Amino acid sequence: MTAYASLAGPVPCDDRITRAEAFIAASRFDRPTLVIDLEAVAARYRALRAGLGDARIHYAVKANPEPAVVARLLAEGCRFDAASRGEIALCLDLGAAPEAISFGNTVKKPADIAFAHARGVRLFAADAAEELAKIAANAPGAEVYIRLLVEETEADWPLSRKFGAPASEIPELMRTAAGLGLRPRGLSFHVGSQTRLPRMWAPVLDAAHAAWQACRAAGFPLDLLNIGGGFPAFYGEAVPDPAAYAAEVMAMVRARFGPLPEVMAEPGRGMVAEAGAIAAEVLLVTRKRPTDIARWVYLDIGKFSGLAETMDEAIRYQFLTPRDGEPTGPCILAGPSCDSADVLYERRPVQLPLGLAAGDRIVIRNCGAYTSSYASVGFNGFPPLEVICI
Ligand SMILES: *Cc1c(COP(=O)(O)O)cnc(C)c1O
């Protein structure tokens, strides 16, 4: 017998039904569909802006590149952080000013840099001398900031290791940038995605401040601090409300750096996650052996059709079913594809109603970030995630 029951505690659940969830409840869908509430995106932008004060918000487009989302944020006065030519073109085509777009990927194709430069984008990220050389060759005279490698993270979805330069290398990178005719303006870092609590920023801000001071001591009068993303969404564990969270982070920034000419923030998840919900369907509920405690529940959506962030069970979504309120038991949740990697939650099973059956609607909550853009073009013939904006 598999003893899962002790591992699977009840998931705390905010029982307020969102507008996207209400829309799903009143609709029928023939395939998994993400419903995004544009009003909720706008409200979230305003809350983050209230907390971040005069820091400029660059929405990290990759979190949800749906044109209606980008257009709505543009109408609110938001700026954008783009990672590729495609994201830059999306923002420009919707009417964003090139000065409002930063090219924040530290790993760029030369042709993409040249495209961005030709279209008027001025601000680029880098974390290596070779990348600075590419920027200088394809965007001569551009403004750059150097990304700091984050060593200590308490985020649920870390962005360390792959990105950033060690603090000790940064003054030299500033020197290289200046020598190449670029304008080194400042530093960036990413605290890690889904950093649930403001206090988790402290060690990263300390490291960023030390690197900042070292650059100034080396003669670079920096004027831009980019604090990246990391603003959390509610996935069942308590997070502060977005305005309070952002205000606390900014207070921590000010306590270390004092007044700064320009601060940028790049929320992705925190901007869109809670604005979205996915309508999905239960395809099969079964026990492998009659004595197993945990049932296998197969959905019509999986790792390849939008739920990539269940990798390593890092992001734990919450679910609504038509049988909520009935007794529950532990379930191993899996996607529909013929790939045994397409298991969503197994190490920590999910509590779902005992009566759950094939054909039941299942709603995945607060999943407006990193879902539609992560869906494959159609692995196994399962369609990519449909998106509806309301
Ligand atoms: C992905 C990303 C973000 C957004 O991160 P969230 O944790 O979703 O807020 C911000 N900046 C950069 C450079 C990124 O790569």
Side-chain angles (χ1 to χ4, degrees):
M1 212 191 280
T2 333
Y4 285 121
S6 61
L7 293 175
V11 179
C13 191
D14 183 339
D15 50 17
R16 176 184 44 95
I17 294 296
T18 67
R19 204 168 145 248
E21 289 163 355
F23 179 90
I24 288 173
S27 312
R28 288 179 60 84
F29 305 95
D30 61 3
R31 58 194 251 192
T33 301
L34 169 64
V35 176
I36 291 279
D37 175 3
L38 296 175
E39 294 306 319
V41 174
R44 201 59 177 227
Y45 170 76
R46 290 185 205 128
L48 286 168
R49 199 183 52 188
L52 287 168
D54 51 15
R56 290 188 166 147
I57 301 183
H58 287 239
Y59 169 57
V61 175
K62 73 174 189 288
N64 190 319
E66 194 60 25
V69 169
V70 173
R72 183 56 194 258
L73 286 171
L74 184 61
E76 293 289 324
C78 190
R79 295 168 167 240
F80 300 96
D81 179 62
S84 62
R85 174 179 178 149
E87 288 184 356
I88 291 170
L90 169 73
C91 297
L92 290 172
D93 291 350
L94 289 167
E99 313 82 60
I101 303 170
S102 51
F103 200 162
N105 195 338
T106 52
V107 185
K108 296 176 283 300
K109 279 173 87 76
D112 287 9
I113 300 170
F115 168 84
H117 180 65
R119 296 293 301 267
V121 174
R122 291 205 291 256
L123 187 57
F124 296 76
D127 64 7
E130 272 198 5
E131 189 70 17
L132 289 168
K134 265 194 274 170
I135 296 170
N138 295 282
E143 300 172 17
V144 292
Y145 55 84
I146 306 295
R147 180 160 169 179
L148 171 70
L149 176 69
V150 167
E151 319 248 16
E152 283 186 71
T153 179
E154 290 187 68
D156 289 350
W157 188 268
L159 293 168
S160 44
R161 224 162 56 78
K162 178 173 170 185
F163 305 105
S168 58
E169 303 294 318
I170 289 182
E172 189 54 35
L173 289 169
M174 296 276 172
R175 212 166 285 126
T176 303
L180 288 164
L182 298 169
R183 201 177 139 216
R185 288 199 52 199
L187 283 183
S188 77
F189 62 87
H190 196 302
V191 71
S193 202
Q194 187 67 8
T195 292
R196 275 189 305 106
L197 302 170
R199 67 163 170 74
M200 296 174 174
W201 286 64
V204 181
L205 286 171
D206 289 341
H209 182 244
W212 180 272
Q213 294 296 68
C215 291
R216 292 181 69 103
F220 297 99
L222 306 183
D223 66 358
L224 171 66
L225 178 69
N226 178 350
I227 65 171
F231 301 83
F234 180 73
Y235 295 124
E237 278 191 88
V239 292
D241 85 78
Y245 182 103
E248 202 172 331
V249 168
M250 281 309 286
M252 293 167 76
V253 169
R254 270 185 230 107
R256 287 164 178 79
F257 289 82
L260 286 163
E262 190 176 339
V263 181
M264 275 171 69
E266 303 172 329
R269 185 188 308 281
M271 190 84 90
V272 290
E274 291 184 23
I278 288 174
E281 185 183 324
V282 175
L283 300 184
L284 176 68
V285 182
T286 180
R287 281 185 166 79
K288 295 289 176 198
R289 290 169 212 82
T291 51
D292 284 354
I293 291 174
R295 293 158 293 160
W296 280 77
V297 172
Y298 300 86
L299 307 180
D300 64 350
I301 182 170
K303 274 209 166 78
F304 304 107
S305 43
L307 304 183
E309 286 205 309
T310 58
M311 214 184 292
D312 298 327
E313 308 194 12
I315 297 296
R316 296 194 62 89
Y317 297 112
Q318 294 181 286
F319 303 92
L320 297 174
T321 77
R323 302 175 200 272
D324 289 346
E326 297 176 14
T328 63
C331 296
I332 299 167
L333 217 57
S337 69
C338 304
D339 187 319
S340 56
D342 193 7
V343 176
L344 308 174
Y345 301 118
E346 182 174 19
R347 278 203 314 264
R348 279 173 62 202
V350 180
Q351 289 287 330
L352 289 171
L354 294 173
L356 195 72
D360 283 355
R361 157 78 55 82
I362 186 159
V363 176
I364 308 170
R365 310 191 77 184
N366 297 341
C367 60
Y370 303 117
T371 46
S372 52
S373 49
Y374 260 147
S376 72
V377 294
F379 176 51
N380 243 186
F382 294 106
L385 189 54
E386 178 99 314
V387 184
I388 295 177
C389 293
I390 58 171

